[in-house]
Amino acid sequence: MEWLNRGVVAVKVNNGVFVSWRLLGTDPQNVSFNLYRNGTLVNGTPLTNVTNYVDTAGSTNSTYEVKAIINGVEQGADAPASVWADQYLAINLNVPAGGSTPDGAYTYEANDASVGDLDGDGEYEIILKWDPTNAKDSAQSGYTGNVLLDAYKLNGKHLWRIDLGRNIRAGAHYTQFLVYDFDGDGKAEVVVQTADGTRDAAGTVIGNANADYRNSSGYILTGPEYLTVFNGETGRILQTIEYPNPRGTVSAWGDNYGNRVGRFLAGVAYLDGRRPSMIIARGYYAKTMISALDWRNGQLTKRWTFNADDNQNQNYRGQGAHSLSIADVDNDGRHEIIYGAATIDDNGNGLYTTNLGHGDALHVADIIPNRPGLEVFMVHECPSCYGNHGVEVHDARTGQILYSGNGNAQDVGRGVAADIDPRYPGMEAWASRNGLFTSTGQELSTKPSQMNFLSWWDGDLLRELLDGTTIYKWDYQRGTSTSIFAPSGVSSNNGTKSTPALSADILGDWREEVIFRTSDNRQLRIYTTTIPTEHRLYTLMHDHQYRVAIAWQNTAYNQPPHPSFFLGEGMSAPPVPDITTPRAR
């Protein structure tokens, strides 16, 4: 996994400066820390149980360093961190010029983001997708503007821009971009579907620059499709191959006008338990194709392809969701692909399907911590498909239904799973239908109205509710949600899904940062918590399941990440990560 620095973040607060930093997955269990302000030791004795500190003598003019103490020896520090005057780090964006299509003019909005260490310095860079304002759901006809990908350093430097061109349609279902170090050289690559006319950061064009495969409805149902690996540091093409899941006959995917053939998903999985592979997928209403590819020594090679169509794996047809998840569901040290109601084993064979059909929300976590293994929470769309299981939790290894709600014979559109009530062990789950379920399947009548996204934000181990641009705390005693963080001047993405550009543990301690675009699309703002916590956990980015979840978070209907262990009230100590990084500290 990635080599990361301490990620020190310092923010001015009313009573001084709040400082937090990473506990790394490679740190020994007995590591402690010293905190320095302007080169002077702040703490009287080494900090052994926390990775945050409020320095009451700090100011906006201070700088901070954190030094680990390992076996009694103080280690070196990263470059000193300056103090944020506000609770966010602002990154000024290079806003693209708009354009026009046969349907009219468009401008650009900052959309989903991902992170990766593009240059190997231990700090994340941000990769941002620009969507044109005429982006379409794949069920909608109409022309769209070009999709763009930008890379920015945290200091605001704009590294590069990739233009995917007119032959890649814009919308949540089309461009699933992966940012990950696939070859283990310490620098992340960027992988995305491309087409004739895609232009890299150096101006190199893929295929025929003048090709235009858009039909009169704006759909792209002919012409070549590609998959390209870009150098994350430069934005230049490294290799382009034919898209591994070819379009073929459009109607095989579920309709003949171009809706369901344009449903793409992507993720990252450690299929051999050692090195990451890219998961590239197409289709989930009818025909389904999932390919696993490796990037090794500058070459893309296919590991396997899973097909579900009229001729093979028929019972896996139509089981996909608007997202996927990656986790080790059978505890063999290798990842599986949870493809909605179906799960594909690490070797590319079908593991099981619940046969409950398509759904809009999917969570894979240790929902029931006193039960071995992981569980899957999913909501489903088709009453004639799901029967009495419109809202359900099942065994992630076998597909056995553990508890469920009847869905009220409706399309269950949204749902989440998180530990929000300490009175009940494990994680609660709730959806747009039925009530709030405890981890044992008890259904409570009162539930939060928020069910789009989640965040670990305050100082306890319960998770908060992220909806739109507000973070809420569930008041389990009163049965109401209370706003605890609501920044101004920012907007969420993706319509009713109301998701941030990204939510992930990218700085400081184990709590999650949230990245919003400003309402005028001129900035990204990285918000971090300033609430002290007594809990010390290693960075979630060094947990294999959480880290790959950040890579797939931008896929279609964005879903929140979960680690491979239960993180909540009454949790056990997390397992020590069995990881190596490209270099040692």
Side-chain angles (χ1 to χ4, degrees):
M1 298 187 73
E2 294 157 315
W3 180 87
L4 296 172
N5 64 20
R6 288 289 165 201
V8 178
V9 60
V11 184
K12 185 69 180 74
V13 292
N14 290 336
N15 58 337
V17 173
F18 174 83
V19 187
S20 73
W21 59 93
R22 291 184 181 116
L23 176 69
L24 300 167
T26 51
D27 283 330
Q29 295 296 291
N30 63 352
V31 67
S32 58
F33 298 97
N34 281 332
L35 176 64
Y36 291 84
R37 180 202 332 112
N38 302 333
T40 300
L41 183 65
V42 173
N43 50 293
T45 58
L47 303 170
T48 57
N49 297 315
V50 294
T51 50
N52 63 94
Y53 191 94
V54 177
D55 177 20
T56 57
S59 72
T60 53
N61 295 322
S62 303
T63 61
Y64 289 89
E65 295 173 295
V66 172
K67 296 183 179 181
I69 303 169
I70 298 175
N71 297 325
V73 178
E74 189 179 70
Q75 310 296 302
D78 303 321
S82 299
V83 176
W84 300 1
D86 300 298
Q87 201 175 341
Y88 61 83
L89 177 66
I91 296 176
N92 292 327
L93 298 176
N94 181 6
V95 183
S100 62
T101 71
D103 286 343
Y106 61 88
T107 57
Y108 277 99
E109 291 181 341
N111 190 251
D112 292 332
S114 193
V115 293
D117 184 2
L118 302 180
D119 54 14
D121 64 355
E123 177 182 87
Y124 284 120
E125 281 72 49
I126 297 175
I127 296 81
L128 172 69
K129 181 178 73 166
W130 288 100
D131 261 355
T133 49
N134 59 2
K136 304 293 184 186
D137 186 281
S138 57
Q140 299 170 328
S141 62
Y143 292 87
T144 72
N146 296 9
V147 178
L148 310 175
L149 296 177
D150 274 2
Y152 294 89
K153 289 191 68 66
L154 295 187
N155 65 12
K157 182 180 180 181
H158 183 202
L159 297 177
W160 48 254
R161 172 167 292 165
I162 296 167
D163 184 342
L164 296 183
R166 67 166 67 97
N167 294 307
I168 294 291
R169 207 161 185 247
H173 298 295
Y174 297 103
T175 296
Q176 327 300 347
F177 60 102
L178 299 178
V179 182
Y180 215 82
D181 179 8
F182 286 103
D183 58 6
D185 68 351
K187 299 181 180 182
E189 291 77 39
V190 177
V191 180
V192 68
Q193 185 183 6
T194 55
D196 280 1
T198 295
R199 187 181 303 270
D200 76 1
T204 302
V205 176
I206 294 174
N208 179 359
N210 298 315
D212 187 347
Y213 298 109
R214 300 172 296 179
N215 66 20
S216 60
S217 297
Y219 286 102
I220 302 163
L221 304 181
T222 60
E225 300 175 299
Y226 307 114
L227 186 73
T228 298
V229 180
F230 294 90
N231 182 305
E233 194 168 12
T234 66
R236 297 187 177 195
I237 296 166
L238 293 175
Q239 188 183 9
T240 297
I241 63 170
E242 291 185 2
Y243 192 71
N245 307 313
R247 183 189 298 117
T249 303
V250 170
S251 59
W253 302 92
D255 59 61
N256 59 13
Y257 69 95
N259 173 11
R260 295 178 174 183
V261 70
R263 305 283 179 145
F264 300 96
L265 301 175
V268 175
Y270 288 82
L271 298 174
D272 61 4
R274 296 180 59 248
R275 301 173 73 180
S277 300
M278 54 193 77
I279 304 300
I280 307 296
R282 181 179 213 150
Y284 41 76
Y285 287 112
K287 181 178 179 177
T288 294
M289 289 186 72
I290 308 169
S291 292
L293 298 96
D294 295 334
W295 175 249
R296 309 282 187 262
N297 303 313
Q299 294 293 318
L300 273 171
T301 57
K302 186 181 289 188
R303 181 179 283 264
W304 49 254
T305 293
F306 175 86
N307 281 294
D309 54 27
D310 291 334
N311 300 315
Q312 53 192 323
N313 298 308
Q314 291 97 328
N315 58 330
Y316 286 81
R317 295 173 75 253
Q319 302 302 313
H322 285 295
S323 61
L324 50 65
S325 189
I326 309 289
D328 178 9
V329 304
D330 52 10
N331 199 32
D332 64 356
R334 299 184 295 272
H335 280 157
E336 280 71 46
I337 296 89
I338 300 87
Y339 204 76
T343 294
I344 311 305
D345 206 352
D346 56 81
N347 60 9
N349 294 326
L351 190 62
Y352 67 84
T353 173
T354 65
N355 285 310
L356 299 179
H358 168 72
D360 285 6
L362 175 70
H363 292 239
V364 181
D366 192 1
I367 295 172
I368 312 173
N370 62 1
R371 181 182 177 280
L374 302 173
E375 291 80 36
V376 178
F377 167 71
M378 189 172 174
V379 302
H380 298 277
E381 186 171 290
C382 168
S384 63
C385 307
Y386 69 65
N388 292 321
H389 305 304
V391 179
E392 51 90 9
V393 169
H394 64 262
D395 184 307
R397 182 179 63 86
T398 66
Q400 176 192 359
I401 304 296
L402 301 176
Y403 63 84
S404 64
N406 61 19
N408 300 334
Q410 301 291 320
D411 175 354
V412 187
R414 303 301 291 160
V416 290
D419 185 15
I420 60 170
D421 190 334
R423 298 174 299 181
Y424 304 96
M427 295 169 61
E428 288 71 49
W430 67 104
S432 56
R433 310 290 175 181
N434 299 108
L436 177 74
F437 290 93
T438 70
S439 68
T440 58
Q442 178 184 355
E443 186 175 1
L444 309 177
S445 60
T446 304
K447 66 183 179 183
S449 60
Q450 298 81 19
M451 55 191 74
N452 276 331
F453 222 79
L454 303 166
S455 175
W456 279 292
W457 187 261
D458 67 7
D460 63 30
L461 295 172
L462 300 174
R463 209 164 189 188
E464 285 66 63
L465 315 175
L466 172 55
D467 196 6
T469 58
T470 302
I471 296 176
Y472 299 87
K473 187 74 173 179
W474 177 242
D475 186 335
Y476 54 88
Q477 294 175 318
R478 296 183 179 181
T480 59
S481 300
T482 302
S483 170
I484 62 171
F485 183 70
S488 61
V490 296
S491 295
S492 60
N493 292 331
N494 304 315
T496 59
K497 307 306 178 290
S498 300
T499 48
L502 183 72
S503 180
D505 175 21
I506 62 172
L507 289 168
D509 60 34
W510 56 274
R511 271 88 58 84
E512 293 171 299
E513 281 66 45
V514 59
I515 304 177
F516 291 116
R517 62 182 172 98
T518 55
S519 299
D520 62 6
N521 293 293
R522 294 185 178 277
Q523 285 184 346
L524 289 180
R525 291 181 180 174
I526 305 173
Y527 290 89
T528 191
T529 186
T530 57
I531 302 172
T533 180
E534 63 184 19
H535 302 286
R536 187 176 96 155
L537 302 174
Y538 63 82
T539 175
L540 300 183
M541 296 297 254
H542 272 170
D543 177 78
H544 59 91
Q545 182 175 322
Y546 183 94
R547 180 61 187 92
V548 300
I550 302 309
W552 57 246
Q553 188 181 127
N554 69 79
T555 293
Y557 290 0
N558 304 14
Q559 298 288 280
H562 295 280
S564 63
F565 56 90
F566 172 68
L567 201 172
E569 185 72 21
M571 66 181 288
S572 302
V576 177
D578 183 14
I579 63 174
T580 59
T581 64
R583 56 172 168 155
R585 286 194 62 82

